[in-house]
Amino acid sequence: MWVPLVLLSLGAVFAGWLLHGLFIGADQAAFWHGAIFTASDNTVLEDAEHVPAIVSLLPTIVGIAGLVMSYWFYVLSPGLPGQLAQRFQPVYQFLMHKWYFDELYDFVFVRPAMWLAREFWHVGDEKIIDGVPNGLAALTADGSEQVVRIQTGSIAVYAFTMLIGLVVLISVFVMFR
């Protein structure tokens, strides 16, 4: 995996070095074609190129210092990181927990989102989306159990029920005539 990364990084470095004048400088307006608008009196992009040398070298200096410090801590004196961690326990814990950003993110975003999702699940999905069809199915099943009790198989009961229905129907027609 490191071979493609090295090739890509070398390409980026050389492309930046070769085309630097087009990105920033006198020819930048023609290169960007208005994608980056700068007023005629605004020289902030040009000024960003003329910073003190220490500003340009600081990332390299910090990187080399990190390499030297890691070599010192983990090769020359491997017990030193543990001693520093014990001596500066609060700072160590603060840095070990990544400034507690994960805990803060969990408290502010994850827990409320999980609560809201759980409520939508239980109320919206279980009680409404699943509850209505399941409730109608249970109502149909209960209703059919009641109808089964009425169906006795006796022709006399059926004839009597039809007679009662006919009497009710005629009564309704007579009353609302």
Side-chain angles (χ1 to χ4, degrees):
M1 188 68 188
W2 67 273
V3 173
L5 289 176
V6 168
L7 292 175
L8 287 170
S9 65
L10 289 174
V13 167
F14 286 117
W17 174 73
L18 184 66
L19 302 172
H20 178 274
L22 294 175
F23 296 132
I24 300 169
D27 298 330
Q28 72 154 340
F31 177 80
W32 293 108
H33 297 290
I36 297 178
F37 175 75
T38 53
S40 58
D41 60 338
N42 187 349
T43 60
V44 69
L45 293 175
E46 182 68 30
D47 294 342
E49 288 298 304
H50 304 293
V51 294
I54 189 67
V55 174
S56 298
L57 293 175
L58 199 56
T60 305
I61 293 169
V62 170
I64 291 171
L67 288 172
V68 169
M69 191 168 74
S70 63
Y71 183 77
W72 178 29
F73 277 13
Y74 296 105
V75 175
L76 297 178
S77 181
L80 189 58
Q83 293 171 0
L84 288 173
Q86 285 183 345
R87 184 175 297 155
F88 301 105
Q89 188 68 26
V91 174
Y92 173 76
Q93 288 298 323
F94 181 71
L95 295 176
M96 192 67 170
H97 286 277
K98 300 171 294 274
W99 296 30
Y100 291 97
F101 278 118
D102 289 343
E103 288 81 358
L104 181 64
Y105 185 85
D106 183 65
F107 180 75
V108 173
F109 295 109
V110 174
R111 288 184 189 176
M114 290 297 288
W115 175 83
L116 188 63
R118 202 171 292 112
E119 289 299 312
F120 279 144
W121 168 37
H122 288 304
V123 174
D125 187 44
E126 288 181 347
K127 291 185 179 171
I128 296 173
I129 294 172
D130 287 342
V132 170
N134 292 344
L136 290 174
L139 184 64
T140 303
D142 291 344
S144 66
E145 285 180 12
Q146 300 303 321
V147 169
V148 165
R149 291 184 185 167
I150 295 173
Q151 294 180 344
T152 60
S154 171
I155 294 177
V157 172
Y158 295 155
F160 182 67
T161 305
M162 286 192 323
L163 181 63
I164 291 174
L166 186 61
V167 168
V168 169
L169 187 64
I170 292 172
S171 299
V172 168
F173 277 127
V174 169
M175 285 174 38
F176 292 108
R177 187 172 170 209

